[in-house]
Amino acid sequence: MDVSFVKTPEIQTLLDKAAGVGQSGGDPRLKAIVRELTEAVMEVVVHHDVSESEFWQAVTFLAEGAPEYGLLAAGTGIEHFLDLFMDAKDKEQGLSGGTPRTIEGPLYVEGAPLVEGNANLSVDPDEGAEVLHMTGLITGPQGEAVEDAIVHVWHANSKGWYSHFDPTSEQTPFNNRRRIKLGKDGRYAFHSMMPSGYSVPPGGTTDRLMQALGRHGNRPAHVHFFVEAPGYRTLTTQINFGDDPFAADDFAFGTREGLLPVPSHQGGSAYIAFDFQLQRAALKQDGEFSTRARAQVDAAPSKQTESA
Ligand code: BEZ
Ligand code: FE
């Protein structure tokens, strides 16, 4: 792919938004410099065809010196750019369709319990939170049910904290994190305490940059997924709640068309029906995850069967 990809309207709009161009607040000189710097990084990614794994290896290295590098990659739009770049490369190879990919974010933890049936993700109480019920089907390109999929799902609690990254230390390990093993029919179901959106650490490096650009560091409430299945391409995605005030204004640009279901709220519960469509694996590595460094903790017990 040619570096002129960075000059396409979609990427130029992303650069404007990421640098706060058109926002009334912030420092105009800083906006111009950050925009150009971000564009230069994007051009390097395209020129050298930097892979997702290589990009995250570089971020992990830089984060040894500056811990918020991962958040800066999200806030400057570069993490979302990687998705658009991978989409464009797929298109060149005639690979398109299915549920859109979107950013993983830095908060996945390996080794969540592997469960079957209607999974309960939340082991901790979460006072005042609605119960989220999510159901759907995993299909392939022809609408066929995908057999033997594993759905990795993780989300924040109603205070916006993720287990293993919660500064209050109040959450049980793997709260709101499961791997759900599906059967032949491709159907999944889980329930959990409704997450809320969250912001980058107030006063931290990313927050200060966002403010200097006239922006904010908030994400809407969302649920993250990896969906993997034999013979299919592993999908990294998330749904963002369409009724969240930040649904159309995510600091990390993770919200994408097709990924914004609006929950239906009834008597203390919120319901979402959402189907995932996977692409067939064309290459051996299509079933693999990027080698991004991810948090690892002692593996939790496997294969409990959970029911509603
Ligand atoms: C997240 O969704 O977990 C996330 C994404 C980008 C930056 C920070 C967090
Ligand atoms: Fe998240």
Side-chain angles (χ1 to χ4, degrees):
M1 169 134 342
D2 193 79
V3 286
S4 61
F5 171 64
V6 173
K7 297 292 181 198
T8 56
E10 188 173 19
I11 307 300
Q12 291 297 308
T13 302
L14 171 63
L15 281 163
D16 283 343
K17 285 188 186 158
V21 174
Q23 299 290 334
S24 52
D27 175 346
R29 178 172 162 77
L30 183 73
K31 291 181 191 204
I33 293 170
V34 168
R35 193 190 186 288
E36 235 173 279
L37 198 56
T38 309
E39 186 172 35
V41 173
M42 291 175 178
E43 283 176 359
V44 171
V45 167
V46 177
H47 180 68
H48 293 279
D49 194 15
V50 172
S51 71
E52 213 186 345
S53 296
E54 287 172 325
F55 180 81
W56 291 113
Q57 193 182 345
V59 171
T60 303
F61 174 76
L62 292 168
E64 286 174 19
E68 287 200 14
Y69 246 101
L71 291 179
L72 291 167
T76 53
I78 296 173
E79 184 166 7
H80 177 52
F81 170 77
L82 286 178
D83 284 333
L84 300 179
F85 180 43
M86 287 189 283
D87 287 353
K89 288 197 293 183
D90 282 354
K91 204 168 164 200
E92 272 188 348
Q93 289 169 21
L95 276 173
S96 53
T99 303
R101 54 160 65 91
T102 194
I103 64 169
E104 174 182 332
L107 303 172
Y108 178 79
V109 179
E110 290 182 2
L114 184 65
V115 299
E116 292 179 12
N118 185 344
N120 174 25
L121 311 188
S122 306
V123 286
D124 294 337
D126 199 337
E127 212 179 311
E130 288 180 294
V131 179
L132 168 66
H133 297 266
M134 206 169 151
T135 52
L137 178 64
I138 317 292
T139 65
Q142 313 306 326
E144 74 279 15
V146 165
E147 298 185 1
D148 302 326
I150 296 180
V151 176
H152 304 233
V153 49
W154 70 106
H155 67 67
N157 66 10
S158 72
K159 313 276 181 312
W161 298 120
Y162 282 78
S163 58
H164 301 275
F165 298 91
D166 184 342
T168 68
S169 305
E170 277 170 10
Q171 292 189 61
T172 304
F174 294 109
N175 188 44
N176 296 328
R177 299 175 184 276
R178 290 292 182 271
R179 288 174 298 152
I180 309 172
K181 189 169 179 356
L182 310 188
K184 302 285 172 215
D185 62 358
R187 296 209 165 270
Y188 76 88
F190 68 82
H191 52 283
S192 61
M193 303 311 288
M194 186 77 166
S196 75
Y198 49 86
S199 75
V200 295
T205 318
T206 312
D207 187 38
R208 278 157 44 218
L209 178 66
M210 293 298 117
Q211 290 196 23
L213 296 172
R215 296 184 50 206
H216 63 76
N218 292 294
R219 297 217 64 210
H222 58 275
V223 181
H224 294 267
F225 300 92
F226 289 142
V227 186
E228 56 170 327
Y232 292 87
R233 212 172 189 202
T234 297
L235 173 70
T236 301
T237 195
Q238 58 181 269
I239 55 126
N240 298 261
F241 296 105
D243 56 358
D244 188 288
F246 290 103
D249 188 20
D250 175 4
F251 105 98
F253 307 100
T255 49
R256 297 192 76 174
E257 212 183 306
L259 300 175
L260 271 171
V262 178
S264 101
H265 300 273
Q266 270 167 44
S269 289
Y271 298 86
I272 293 181
F274 190 87
D275 295 340
F276 295 88
Q277 190 179 51
L278 303 184
Q279 292 178 356
R280 280 265 174 204
L283 305 167
K284 187 186 150 286
Q285 62 265 32
D286 281 347
E288 296 169 1
F289 294 79
S290 79
T291 57
R292 178 177 184 157
R294 300 184 174 90
Q296 282 177 324
V297 294
D298 289 341
S302 289
K303 269 218 164 181
Q304 313 150 4
T305 298
E306 297 188 357
S307 54

